[in-house]
Amino acid sequence: MNRAPLKRSRILRMALTGVSAVSEESESGNKPFLLRALQIALVVSLYWVTSISMVFLNKYLLDSPSLQLDTPIFVTFYQCLVTSLLCKGLSTLATCCPGMVDFPTLNLDLKVARSVLPLSVVFIGMITFNNLCLKYVGVPFYNVGRSLTTVFNVLLSYLLLKQTTSFYALLTCGVIIGGFWLGIDQEGAEGTLSLTGTIFGVLASLCVSLNAIYTKKVLPAVDHSIWRLTFYNNVNACVLFLPLMIVLGELRALLACVDDEVRATEHSAHFWLMMTLGGLFGFAIGYVTGLQIKFTSPLTHNVSGTAKACAQTVLAVLYYEEIKSFLWWTSNLMVLGGSSAYTWVRGWEMQKTQEDPSSKDGEKSAIRV
């Protein structure tokens, strides 16, 4: 019996639904090394291109002099709307053409939406503060401004989950904090520091950590489907963003823009094209992130994300033709190096625990804080 079509279908289903299986490792082990290396290189490159492009595009939408539109909440709302419509469209296509697309069935259930609501509030904070941070700080400083996610992960794991952290992991967090403060100092010395953007970056880091914790709690409500969770999160976000836009006066700004006939003629098509492209990238980053984890591992994904952040910083400095001091680059290296070291330490500890579970108690008493 030929099982190749079945395997291909299962792989596609795993990629789209966020479901993993142990058999994936044995299946990938049967592939030639060059083929696996090529697949991994393509997937990692796709993740890098999508993620970096989305950051530069969002910076353009949020802070471009040519657009002259100060509506960051509406930009975020529109991206959530595009993601919701894409999820529903793919679900409908999968129902109508089962052999063409494999995507989970998405039917809006108000009971499930209420169950996901606490996570959606955190999700709104995460994406909103991310965009507000990007609006007020430059792309070169963007990664340093949001670099405290690892620190908040350690802090919230202890406060909410009562999980202790090893001394070596705490040392890496110290390096990250040192790089963060050095980066702030150097931005201030160069006269480019935005205190507002930095505060938004810290809040974004906090929400990213909370999002990871609440996601684990909410996943059972959506049958452990990442795409169902994405759909409900973005639908809830669209509803909750509407009163925010009214209160902050962004709807009035949008209506004033529409009333300007000259502006509408010259910029309307370009603006909506860029907005829709931003929404497509927002949807795509979720897919390529899952794809990278599927073809590599969560640990490799974190390392790839750190390397991508380094490349993004260098590209931003070159693109905006900025000149940075040695200490500014040192702050970036401290943040990226500390993040990489934390990932390596946690991976080493997990591997050690799996190989010798009896060493866990000794490790707690010896080097855990």
Side-chain angles (χ1 to χ4, degrees):
M1 180 179 179
N2 185 11
R3 298 187 178 182
L6 179 61
K7 288 182 178 180
R8 286 194 295 268
S9 175
R10 187 176 65 215
I11 292 173
L12 181 58
R13 182 167 61 254
M14 288 164 56
L16 290 176
T17 59
V19 178
S20 61
V22 178
S23 60
E24 173 65 17
E25 294 182 2
S26 60
E27 185 173 317
S28 62
N30 295 330
K31 295 180 180 178
F33 172 77
L34 289 178
L35 178 59
R36 289 184 59 199
L38 179 60
Q39 287 179 329
I40 291 173
L42 289 175
V43 168
V44 171
S45 299
L46 182 62
Y47 168 77
W48 279 40
V49 170
T50 304
S51 180
I52 294 176
S53 299
M54 185 177 68
V55 170
F56 278 91
L57 179 58
N58 279 344
K59 180 63 176 177
Y60 172 77
L61 291 171
L62 294 165
D63 194 35
S64 173
S66 62
L67 293 180
Q68 298 178 355
L69 188 63
D70 186 18
T71 56
I73 302 299
F74 174 72
V75 171
T76 312
F77 160 80
Y78 189 80
Q79 291 177 347
C80 291
L81 179 63
V82 171
T83 299
S84 302
L85 293 176
L86 284 173
C87 287
K88 186 59 180 177
L90 286 173
S91 175
T92 304
L93 186 61
T95 303
C96 299
C97 309
M100 182 181 299
V101 178
D102 195 348
F103 201 86
T105 302
L106 301 177
N107 295 314
L108 187 60
D109 187 332
L110 294 181
K111 183 178 179 181
V112 177
R114 285 195 298 269
S115 300
V116 178
L117 186 59
L119 173 63
S120 298
V121 173
V122 176
F123 173 75
I124 287 174
M126 180 181 70
I127 58 178
T128 301
F129 290 136
N130 267 325
N131 279 348
L132 287 174
C133 174
L134 185 59
K135 174 180 174 60
Y136 289 103
V137 306
V139 178
F141 185 68
Y142 182 56
N143 286 308
V144 174
R146 301 180 309 115
S147 61
L148 296 183
T149 299
T150 300
V151 178
F152 281 120
N153 282 341
V154 171
L155 183 61
L156 294 177
S157 294
Y158 177 75
L159 294 177
L160 301 181
L161 306 177
K162 304 304 178 184
Q163 294 179 355
T164 56
T165 303
S166 72
F167 175 72
Y168 300 114
L170 290 177
L171 282 179
T172 64
C173 290
V175 174
I176 295 172
I177 294 174
F180 174 76
W181 284 112
L182 181 59
I184 291 177
D185 176 74
Q186 291 304 299
E187 285 285 308
E190 295 179 2
T192 56
L193 176 65
S194 169
L195 182 59
T196 302
T198 303
I199 293 174
F200 283 136
V202 173
L203 292 174
S205 301
L206 174 61
C207 289
V208 169
S209 299
L210 287 172
N211 185 75
I213 293 174
Y214 279 100
T215 295
K216 295 180 181 179
K217 295 183 178 181
V218 171
L219 271 175
V222 291
D223 300 325
H224 295 275
S225 171
I226 295 298
W227 284 119
R228 284 196 179 95
L229 182 60
T230 299
F231 174 71
Y232 278 103
N233 253 344
N234 283 276
V235 169
N236 284 343
C238 288
V239 174
L240 295 176
F241 272 133
L242 289 175
L244 276 177
M245 288 190 294
I246 295 174
V247 171
L248 296 176
E250 292 197 2
L251 286 182
R252 289 196 300 271
L254 287 169
L255 292 175
C257 176
V258 172
D259 290 339
D260 189 344
E261 295 181 356
V262 176
R263 176 178 170 79
T265 302
E266 294 179 352
H267 299 288
S268 180
H270 174 73
F271 172 74
W272 289 110
L273 176 62
M274 292 295 102
M275 288 282 288
T276 304
L277 190 59
L280 291 174
F281 273 111
F283 174 84
I285 192 62
Y287 176 75
V288 297
T289 297
L291 203 63
Q292 180 170 246
I293 295 174
K294 170 181 174 289
F295 276 90
T296 58
S297 67
L299 179 63
T300 305
H301 168 67
N302 289 334
V303 174
S304 173
T306 303
K308 186 273 303 181
C310 180
Q312 178 179 295
T313 301
V314 174
L315 286 174
V317 171
L318 294 175
Y319 178 78
Y320 293 105
E321 299 180 347
E322 298 182 2
I323 299 176
K324 299 297 183 181
S325 66
F326 173 78
L327 288 178
W328 188 92
W329 287 107
T330 301
S331 70
N332 278 267
L333 291 176
M334 288 176 66
V335 166
L336 297 174
S339 300
S340 299
Y342 177 84
T343 300
W344 181 85
V345 168
R346 294 299 293 161
W348 174 74
E349 291 174 351
M350 291 175 62
Q351 182 180 4
K352 185 178 179 181
T353 302
Q354 291 174 356
E355 292 175 354
D356 186 11
S358 62
S359 66
K360 189 174 182 179
D361 295 334
E363 183 184 354
K364 283 184 178 180
S365 61
I367 60 171
R368 299 187 79 84
V369 179

